[in-house]
Amino acid sequence: MSDQQGFSPRERRASFTLAGIFGMRMLGLFMIMPVFALYGENLVGFSPLWVGIAIGAYGLTQAVLQIPAGWLSDRIGRKPVIYGGLALFAAGSVVAALSDSVYGVVAGRVLQGSGAIAGAILALAADITREENRTKAMAIIGVCIGMSFAAAMVAGPLLAALFGLSGVFWTTAVLALVGMIMVRFLLPESVSKGQIRDVTAAPELFGRLLKDKQLLRLDVGIMLLHMTLTAVFVAFPLSLANAGLVPEHHWWLYLPALILSFVLIIPFLILGARRNMNKLLFQASILVMMVALVLMALGQGKLWLLAVAMVLYFTAFNFMEASLPAFLSMLAPAGGKGTAMGIYSTSQFFGAFLGGVLGGALFQQLGGAGVFLLVALTMVFWFWLSAGMANVSRVRSHILPIGVKIESESARSQLLQRLMALPGVHEALIIPDEGAAYLKVDGNIFELDQAKRLINL
């Protein structure tokens, strides 16, 4: 039992277990980023271009398969898809660990990315949690993903120093197996609710959402953000080594920089939410990232300047990584958040792949400084693109089960009109096949209990 506002024990266990599984998988994907350029030199075929491809290769298969994997989980269940995805991730890790060539590592990374379980995990979280607790469950998963990136910046250099590059991949294989054990013994059983439009994509909405200029700005933004991330980590570890910081001590810079960046973004997140300054602060973050990239280019051989640049980079990155999904949630139409998030995530993973390829190609031709400067130029384009962003306000989404099945079109139309008449309701959508009403509301004035009473009359 639990109070109305809190998690039940079942919801709490499911939320933290799913967050742990998601986080361990992302940890495995991220750990290679700060070390591959340094520890892959003995691999057959090693070159800056192939470094970039290896770092970003997972993003290509992830981008292609994550929406279909979510649809598959609607048909065959969440757990089979999660088991299969973790098995593919483990297999890819083993392929990479046993490879003596960069081409084998790339094949392993491609296989890792094919274990696209993000959609199934989010859908299972939605299946198990009540609507009033779903946002909290998703937030726990999101925090765990952020923590996994921070942990990867520390664990990657430490593991590579102790066990070599293959040791990093063997660790990711073990993490995948631990994830499968967690699915088996810690995840509560659930009945799949099929498609839940706040977490899974609806094919009929793709055309409409791809034409939405506000959502398209967010999709391009997350693509550019993750393009910079993989491009930076093609070159930055070598810049640190050239500045005199031995590879096994790189985490001495990454960990304090990440901690400081998390501290720095908190007041800005609060300020943006309370003062309706989201757009202004977001554009400021783009400029901060551009400055950080220029400092990286100027800081070749200067460890203190590289450290300052990384603090600025992580601060801007973490602010935008937290802000973009929130903007998307506010801008997506009622019943369209899952589809919008599917397109957004596909853009994110494609950006990771693109950044790896471009970063490797640029490093091969222009060196590290050239990578940082040319990526900085993309921030100019992003800043221009962001000028047309809406300054989103306090908009929230709700999914309400319809207590009585509504057979006739006229009855559904009447219910829709009554919902739209409630204070604070911007959009309402009734999906008879799901037995649910999707609402977009102003969180300052909307009363959830009033809507529930209306729907269950």
Side-chain angles (χ1 to χ4, degrees):
M1 297 292 292
S2 67
D3 60 68
Q4 285 188 328
Q5 301 301 318
F7 279 127
S8 69
R10 183 172 180 269
E11 288 174 321
R12 183 180 298 107
R13 186 177 70 175
S15 298
F16 282 99
T17 300
L18 289 169
I21 294 167
F22 206 140
M24 285 193 297
R25 181 176 173 279
M26 297 310 294
L27 175 64
L29 288 172
F30 288 145
M31 278 197 298
I32 195 66
M33 292 175 63
V35 300
F36 190 73
L38 299 167
Y39 289 90
E41 292 182 342
N42 295 325
L43 294 171
V44 175
F46 181 89
S47 71
L49 176 60
W50 282 99
V51 167
I53 293 173
I55 289 175
Y58 80 94
L60 183 61
T61 42
Q62 189 87 349
V64 171
L65 295 175
Q66 59 112 18
I67 290 178
W71 289 337
L72 184 63
S73 78
D74 289 339
R75 292 182 173 273
I76 68 172
R78 317 303 187 199
K79 285 189 176 182
V81 171
I82 296 173
Y83 275 127
L86 290 171
L88 286 170
F89 185 76
S93 301
V94 171
V95 168
L98 294 175
S99 296
D100 58 4
S101 74
V102 70
Y103 316 116
V105 171
V106 169
R109 292 283 282 175
V110 168
L111 193 55
Q112 281 183 328
S114 68
I117 59 174
I121 285 179
L122 295 177
L124 183 55
D127 289 343
I128 292 176
T129 56
R130 290 166 291 166
E131 195 275 335
E132 57 265 30
N133 289 328
R134 193 165 297 146
T135 300
K136 289 183 281 187
M138 300 302 175
I140 290 170
I141 293 172
V143 168
C144 201
I145 294 171
M147 291 175 63
S148 71
F149 179 74
M153 294 298 103
V154 177
L158 286 174
L159 287 170
L162 291 172
F163 306 111
L165 193 60
S166 64
V168 176
F169 286 117
W170 283 119
T171 301
T172 64
V174 171
L175 289 174
L177 295 176
V178 171
M180 295 174 76
I181 292 171
M182 291 173 69
V183 174
R184 173 65 180 85
F185 294 104
L186 296 180
L187 267 186
E189 292 299 322
S190 69
V191 177
S192 173
K193 298 175 183 176
Q195 186 181 70
I196 300 175
R197 289 179 175 226
D198 262 22
V199 291
T200 56
E204 65 272 16
L205 294 179
F206 276 107
R208 173 188 169 192
L209 297 189
L210 285 171
K211 295 176 183 176
D212 188 310
K213 292 181 179 179
Q214 291 296 332
L215 293 177
L216 200 56
R217 284 186 174 91
L218 301 182
D219 298 333
V220 174
I222 194 65
M223 183 184 73
L224 292 174
L225 183 63
H226 281 259
M227 185 191 78
T228 67
L229 180 68
T230 48
V232 162
F233 278 96
V234 170
F236 194 78
L238 289 170
S239 295
L240 288 182
N242 292 336
L245 189 64
V246 294
E248 57 266 33
H249 293 162
H250 281 195
W251 69 273
W252 290 4
L253 185 146
Y254 293 135
L255 183 59
L258 277 163
I259 292 173
L260 185 55
S261 72
F262 286 133
V263 172
L264 289 173
I265 69 170
I266 291 173
F268 294 105
L269 289 171
I270 295 172
L271 187 63
R274 291 184 178 177
R275 299 290 181 88
N276 201 25
M277 297 172 60
N278 286 313
K279 178 180 176 179
L280 178 63
L281 293 173
F282 187 82
Q283 288 186 296
S285 296
I286 297 174
L287 294 178
V288 169
M289 180 167 283
M290 182 169 64
V291 170
L293 291 164
V294 171
L295 290 179
M296 289 178 192
L298 297 175
Q300 299 302 295
K302 301 172 184 176
L303 186 58
W304 70 270
L305 194 52
L306 291 173
V308 171
M310 188 49 66
V311 171
L312 292 175
Y313 179 83
F314 278 151
T315 301
F317 178 88
N318 289 325
F319 181 83
M320 291 189 283
E321 184 82 348
S323 299
L324 281 166
F327 295 168
L328 181 136
S329 179
M330 295 177 195
L331 291 170
K337 188 165 73 172
T339 309
M341 186 59 73
I343 297 169
Y344 170 92
S345 298
T346 298
S347 302
Q348 172 184 326
F349 292 122
F350 182 72
F353 169 71
L354 185 63
V357 174
L358 289 178
L362 290 172
F363 190 90
Q364 194 157 292
Q365 298 297 321
L366 304 172
V371 173
F372 301 135
L373 286 174
L374 287 176
V375 173
L377 285 177
T378 65
M379 297 297 101
V380 177
F381 168 73
W382 192 3
F383 186 83
W384 170 81
L385 188 69
S386 70
M389 284 176 56
N391 191 27
V392 289
S393 58
R394 184 176 163 79
V395 178
R396 295 291 180 265
S397 300
H398 292 285
I399 310 173
L400 302 181
I402 299 173
V404 178
K405 188 174 182 180
I406 302 174
E407 299 289 350
S408 69
E409 180 65 32
S410 61
R412 288 195 294 270
S413 179
Q414 290 174 11
L415 176 57
L416 196 60
Q417 290 176 11
R418 291 197 295 270
L419 287 171
M420 287 297 298
L422 293 175
V425 175
H426 297 320
E427 296 179 37
L429 177 70
I430 295 174
I431 307 295
D433 292 342
E434 296 179 34
Y438 291 81
L439 304 179
K440 294 283 291 185
V441 304
D442 183 337
N444 290 315
I445 60 177
F446 175 72
E447 294 185 12
L448 181 60
D449 288 340
Q450 188 179 4
K452 287 181 176 179
R453 288 193 297 270
L454 177 62
I455 282 178
N456 289 286
L457 286 177

